Each structure stands twice: as structure tokens, then as C-alpha cells.
Amino acid sequence: MQQIMLICRPGFETEAGQELTDQAAAAGIFGFFQPGKNTGLLRFTIGGNEPAEELMRRVALEDLVFTRDWFAVLGDCELPVQDRVGAILAFMNDQGWQGNRCARLEVRLPETNDDRDLGNFARKWVAPLSKGLRGAGLLKDDPEAPAPARLEILLAGFTTAVVGYSLTGNRAPFVGGIPRLRLPASAPSRSALKLEEAWKVFLPQERWLEYLGGGKKAVDLGAAPGGWTWQLVRQGMMVTAVDNGPMNPELMASGHVEHVEADGYAWRPKRAVDWMVCDIVDKPRRTARMAVDWMGEKLCRYTVFNLKLPMKKRYEEWLVCREILVQGLEDAGLHCQLKARHLYHDREEITCFIERLD
């Protein structure tokens, strides 16, 4: 049976599986999933004879909210203590693997791994394993050469590896879908990392200046103490921070922030701005409708906002919110791009991005 390994936030395995089941069925491919409890990993098994690669060609990773990354599974390989590299080479040869398909190798660990020894082994194993694969003609000689796929090895422990491959152009730009971000000491709160990750996930890197530069104007709803406002100011934006709570004093001293003490849901600007961001913890449907109002009234061109999902029926609630967003924007006669993702720095919420294209 053909399988795909999905990588998600631990505890959201069922939501990731439900979503891919629906997306695959819409693409004419049917299957079922086996979630590992709180592992951040699950296997989606494809029914019939449809290859896993075909599903990954019909469904785009960027259209999945709860899956951070994925790869097609070739199989499970036992790793003897004496020769783990040799075991992988024998496994790949048994699979009839064509060496011209991949130029690079990625050795992954589960997000829940707390075995430091396994982490150290994984880092040190990459070099000899890559060398062995190239010597056996199972990887291209030049790691920078263009290739349709990347070889993926997931180490669940020292004795077993899940071997597979990801497709170029339909995998996360960051391994495991986790960008490596560092929180500067000057940031008012850790929530600052959410907005930075959202930009890295949703905005093409080569267009960052277009989206974020040029002295743009922004509104931060529910801003206090100012984590998202701080990120906007770092980009040189002039920010209206809307919150009844206090803002970070150092941030206010920047001269780039106007603090308005008001209800973030009710407040509206007198003139349109470039960005509206919102990290208010409230009912997700209320937030979705507010985002539609801002876009429909053309009060902003771009928005990033979080939807706090309930503990039960999280996937179902997202489907309701998605319908509110899609139908609301359509009813407003707008041509917009909507993206959503359960980011690494999110918890029970998902982050949405809307860009008005007209």
C-alpha cells in the first residue's frame, strides 16, 4: 500500500488526517490515516493502486492547514548497530531507487524527540550516509544539482528509519515546516514570533520588500503588550496599536506607534492602511467576520489574523470559518488570495493571511 507521512503539531494528528482525506477525495484519490497519538506524525494510506506521488501532484501542501510538511513513504528500514549505512543502501537498492531522482538527503527527527544522543547521531550520520549513497549511485554526485525530489529519512530511534522522498516544489521550505527564528531581547512578547513566521510562510521571500517595505501603515488589533506591533515597527511601518491594555514603554518610545484605547473588534480607521493584523483571543467566527469587514470596506490591503479553535471539532470549526471568509469576500465582490496554516508558533489557533489582489 502506498503511504504519505504527514508532519503536524503534536496533538493535531486527527485534524491533519481529516483534512488530507477530504482534499485527496476531492482530487479523486481515496485513503485512510493512522495517527500516532501526540507524535506530530501520521501515515496516510492510499487505497487502490494509486501511487503516493500522484496524490502529492494533485494536492498542494500550501493548501493544507494542519500539515506542516510531508513526504512519500518508500518503507521502514531496520538499522543494525554494525552497519546502518549499509542497511539503507540495501533497502534503496531493493526498492529499485533511481539515483538521478535526488541530489540531497534530509535526516529528520520527530518533533517530540527528547533523546539528545539520537539527535547527535542524526547530525553526524548525514555525512557518511550521503557519501555512501553517492558512492552507490543512489544520490547525484553534485548536491546542488537540480533534482525532482529529495531523499527523506525519519529516525524514530536507533533501530528503525522511515525512508521516503519529497517532491521539489511541493514540500515545506523549512524542514518539518519549522523556520528557525530567534526572539530578540527587545521583543515585548513571544507572540512576535507568530507574525514573523506568518510572513516567512505566506510571503515569497523575493517580494518581502514589496509587501513590508516602503514605510507602510498598519493597524494592530488587540496589540498589548506589543509583540506584533514590534514586528511591524521593525519593518519601518507606522502603527496604530488598538487595545485597552498597556503597551510596552520602550516600543512606544520608538515614535512609530500611536496607542488607541478601544475595542479592537469595533474600532475602524478613518483612512485605509496597508496592513491589519489581529491576535485577539475570541470566537473564531467573530474574527473571521471582522476580517471580511475590513477587506470588504477596503480598509486594508493585507491582513494576518489568528483563529482560536475550540478543543473539540477543530477541523470542523476551520471549515465553517473558511466558508465565512471565502463567501464573505466573494459577496463583497473582491478578488483575494486566502492562505491559512497551523504555524509552529501557534498553539490552539491557526493563522490566516488575506491579500486583496484588485
Side-chain angles (χ1 to χ4, degrees):
M1 300 289 283
Q2 295 282 307
Q3 292 185 326
I4 294 176
M5 180 69 76
L6 306 185
I7 300 165
C8 65
R9 181 179 182 85
F12 281 75
E13 297 84 6
T14 298
E15 287 76 14
Q18 289 174 323
E19 183 177 40
L20 183 58
T21 300
D22 287 350
Q23 294 259 10
I29 297 177
F30 301 91
F32 60 92
F33 62 95
Q34 304 158 282
K37 187 176 181 180
N38 295 320
T39 62
L41 302 169
L42 66 151
R43 298 192 191 215
F44 184 84
T45 302
I46 300 170
N49 298 318
E50 203 76 63
E53 189 168 327
E54 183 59 28
L55 187 154
M56 299 176 79
R57 294 193 185 282
R58 296 188 196 180
V59 176
L61 177 63
E62 68 175 7
D63 292 335
L64 299 175
V65 175
F66 295 97
T67 298
R68 292 180 186 157
D69 204 359
W70 61 356
F71 62 87
V73 175
L74 292 172
D76 297 271
C77 177
E78 294 186 6
L79 302 176
V81 176
Q82 296 81 4
D83 188 7
R84 294 186 176 95
V85 170
I88 295 292
L89 300 185
F91 175 87
M92 299 299 291
N93 281 317
D94 288 345
Q95 293 291 321
W97 183 254
Q98 297 176 352
N100 63 348
R101 296 208 65 198
C102 294
R104 299 185 67 86
L105 160 73
E106 187 66 50
V107 176
R108 301 168 175 260
L109 294 172
E111 186 180 330
T112 54
N113 175 66
D114 57 4
D115 187 340
R116 185 172 298 180
D117 291 338
L118 183 62
N120 291 333
F121 166 75
R123 285 189 293 273
K124 295 177 181 178
W125 195 41
V126 173
L129 180 56
S130 297
K131 182 179 179 180
L133 288 165
R134 295 189 204 287
L138 297 170
L139 274 184
K140 288 187 175 184
D141 290 334
D142 181 4
E144 303 303 324
R150 181 177 68 196
L151 190 60
E152 305 280 356
I153 295 182
L154 174 68
L155 283 178
F158 286 101
T159 60
T160 306
V162 182
V163 182
Y165 62 94
S166 59
L167 299 181
T168 301
N170 198 12
R171 60 175 177 242
F174 319 101
V175 176
I178 304 174
R180 302 301 175 183
L181 306 179
R182 180 175 295 179
L183 184 71
S186 58
S189 67
R190 289 194 61 81
S191 69
L193 295 176
K194 290 185 192 179
L195 186 55
E196 183 179 1
E197 183 182 358
W199 286 337
K200 286 185 175 294
V201 169
F202 297 134
L203 307 183
Q205 186 175 1
E206 66 275 10
R207 295 179 60 195
W208 262 45
L209 184 61
E210 175 186 339
Y211 280 103
L212 304 175
K216 289 182 169 56
K217 295 181 180 180
V219 170
D220 183 1
L221 302 178
W228 285 28
T229 295
W230 177 82
Q231 286 286 11
L232 296 164
V233 168
R234 286 183 82 196
Q235 302 299 324
M237 298 190 200
M238 300 299 295
V239 185
T240 301
V242 183
D243 201 306
N244 285 312
M247 295 292 292
N248 177 271
E250 290 79 10
L251 183 58
M252 294 303 301
S254 69
H256 278 247
V257 183
E258 177 190 3
H259 181 197
V260 176
E261 295 185 22
D263 176 4
Y265 279 108
W267 186 87
R268 295 292 186 271
K270 294 179 181 179
R271 296 179 181 84
V273 297
D274 299 290
W275 280 90
M276 182 274 280
V277 300
C278 177
D279 191 22
I280 299 176
V281 177
D282 206 311
K283 294 180 179 178
R285 300 181 194 187
R286 186 184 184 193
T287 302
R289 292 189 182 98
M290 181 198 65
V292 169
D293 289 344
W294 273 73
M295 299 302 292
E297 296 172 24
K298 297 188 176 180
L299 296 175
C300 63
R301 187 167 192 84
Y302 314 108
T303 179
V304 170
F305 55 94
N306 280 339
L307 300 176
K308 173 75 172 179
L309 300 180
M311 288 296 293
K312 295 182 179 180
K313 296 186 177 181
R314 293 179 293 204
Y315 174 56
E316 290 81 358
E317 184 65 23
W318 158 240
L319 293 181
V320 172
C321 290
R322 185 180 67 181
E323 180 62 22
I324 291 171
L325 294 167
V326 171
Q327 191 61 52
L329 295 171
E330 182 178 321
D331 290 345
L334 297 177
H335 179 38
C336 293
Q337 175 180 234
L338 167 65
K339 297 180 180 180
R341 181 61 55 86
H342 192 199
L343 301 175
Y344 174 71
H345 291 95
D346 287 336
R347 294 183 182 177
E348 294 297 321
E349 69 274 12
I350 60 175
T351 300
C352 301
F353 166 69
I354 301 177
E355 175 184 3
R356 183 160 49 85
L357 301 175
D358 54 354

